[in-house]
Amino acid sequence: MPPSFAALHPQVVHFVIGLLIVGVLFRLVALSGRLKWTGPAATTLLVMGGAAAWVAAKSGDAAHGPVERVPGVRDAVVEHEEWGERTRNVFVGVAALELLALALGAGAARTVRAVSGLVGIAGVFVLYEAAEHGGE
């Protein structure tokens, strides 16, 4: 990856945070059946957020070398990197569930979307931890 890609990591992660938190919230609202438009919006946001989480992890990998050379920050950077990879993994999984739901019939799709919502709730916790450790 080019060095400029690494420099974009802080900007990319803020898009990831916004896309994923709003996507999970929309998924939960959509499961209630109250606002029909939140279902397609949730799918769009979560698939985009999963892809963006992958980009964020790649840009973080590109950035970690120079950052780890700063005295006293290596442990914090490693911890942030581990939480970031967990976040990527969880939300790439959520995106896969959302795409699977699109391919299934209505009954099965509802179950898969419910699982996506539950995994998404856990994912928001993982996302929070990645952000918290990144802030350190």
Side-chain angles (χ1 to χ4, degrees), residues 17-106:
I17 292 167
L19 289 169
L20 293 177
I21 290 174
V22 174
V24 170
L25 290 174
F26 279 15
R27 174 53 58 222
L28 298 175
V29 170
L31 290 170
S32 76
R34 291 186 170 242
L35 299 171
K36 300 289 183 200
W37 62 270
T38 58
T43 298
T44 302
L45 292 169
L46 291 169
V47 170
M48 289 174 54
W54 182 83
V55 171
K58 290 296 268 184
S59 67
D61 286 344
H64 82 95
V67 174
E68 284 183 4
R69 287 192 283 272
V70 175
V73 301
R74 186 180 190 299
D75 291 342
V77 171
V78 169
E79 186 122 4
H80 171 58
E81 184 176 1
E82 290 171 355
W83 280 103
E85 289 170 355
R86 288 181 192 120
T87 301
R88 176 203 57 209
N89 295 343
V90 168
F91 281 106
V92 165
V94 168
L97 287 169
E98 291 290 328
L99 293 172
L100 176 63
L102 289 175
L104 296 174

